[in-house]
Amino acid sequence: MFGGVLVAALVTMVFGHSVQGRPLEVTRVGAVDAPVRVLVVGDVHGDEPAGEAIVARLRRARVAGVAFWLVRTANPDGRALGTRQNARGVDLNRNFPHRWGRAPRGTYYPGPRAASEPETRALMRLVRRVRPQFGIYYHQHMGITVREPDGDLAVERDYARRTGLPLRPLPAYRGTAVSWEARTVSGSTAFVVELPAGRAPVARHVAAVLALARRYRAAS
């Protein structure tokens, strides 16, 4: 399932393929046996790409005892098409098994069944393999750090303070990646950062991710 290519200090792996056969890639920065593992996903919706620049900058990151697992996009078909959904019209952030529910076709179509999409299943395999202590998933365009019902309030509040994106709750959407991850990996927290429209202030967000990684490393 994982084919590794060593490039300098980075290891880039294919962890699955999209509906249209595009590779889903993750780059690991740091040792595979690092005690702290951080998952960062640049985008799940193809028309919300600002987080990809943050992921690209994190490829230069080095924190002793921390491995960053970086997914530029979890929806390469949607990126190519410029759509929120994948190539089958499924909103991947409604397709995860936790609290999945049926809904008609449209903007938030969750698919015909939970984890019906290859992109969803690939990300689930990656999470189960990595078992990150925390995960960050970038979206747009609300300009907030999302207070997740299953998240760690202290971590979310710290990120919000460092980036200036206020901490706000959203409705408990069904079938989201972060709710599934938090329920699947014991002791893990995962949350969404809704970047504003346009380009993100990359340096500020990278600094926030690194600060959280150091915080977890100090506690490990």
Side-chain angles (χ1 to χ4, degrees):
M1 177 176 63
F2 291 84
V5 179
L6 183 63
V7 181
L10 308 179
V11 178
T12 297
M13 295 163 275
V14 174
F15 66 95
H17 290 83
S18 68
V19 168
Q20 295 183 335
R22 292 182 172 90
L24 295 161
E25 295 183 341
V26 61
T27 297
R28 193 191 76 236
V29 181
V32 69
D33 59 350
V36 174
R37 299 167 304 282
V38 179
L39 175 66
V40 185
V41 179
D43 58 59
V44 175
H45 297 138
D47 58 355
E48 300 176 4
E52 292 186 19
I54 300 169
V55 169
R57 185 75 61 86
L58 282 167
R59 289 165 65 99
R60 310 176 196 171
R62 300 293 185 276
V63 176
V66 176
F68 296 96
W69 294 78
L70 308 173
V71 177
R72 182 182 66 82
T73 178
N75 185 5
D77 293 351
R79 284 290 286 121
L81 296 167
T83 60
R84 175 186 178 92
Q85 306 85 1
N86 74 350
R88 287 202 284 239
V90 175
D91 183 342
L92 298 176
N93 205 41
R94 300 294 186 272
N95 188 237
F96 285 79
H98 181 60
R99 298 184 65 248
W100 180 86
R102 294 186 183 279
R105 283 192 173 272
T107 302
Y108 308 107
Y109 177 53
R113 61 188 179 281
S116 61
E117 305 309 295
E119 299 93 341
T120 304
R121 295 193 299 273
L123 198 53
M124 289 169 64
R125 290 194 299 267
L126 179 66
V127 168
R128 286 183 172 124
R129 177 190 177 180
V130 174
R131 303 193 67 80
Q133 278 91 339
F134 78 90
I136 299 175
Y137 292 70
Y138 290 105
H139 290 257
Q140 286 179 286
H141 308 279
M142 299 179 69
I144 60 173
T145 303
V146 179
R147 174 70 186 107
E148 299 291 348
D150 301 310
D152 185 322
L153 176 59
V155 171
E156 295 162 353
R157 184 177 285 152
D158 191 359
Y159 193 96
R161 178 181 61 82
R162 292 177 184 278
T163 61
L165 295 184
L167 187 63
R168 299 284 187 271
L170 289 177
Y173 300 123
R174 294 176 176 271
T176 67
V178 293
S179 62
W180 175 84
E181 182 176 321
R183 295 298 183 96
T184 300
V185 182
S186 178
S188 174
T189 189
F191 63 99
V192 163
V193 175
E194 281 271 355
L195 299 166
R199 296 181 179 179
V202 172
R204 187 185 309 166
H205 286 277
V206 168
V209 174
L210 297 180
L212 290 181
R214 294 187 185 101
R215 172 178 178 164
Y216 271 82
R217 182 66 182 102
S220 66

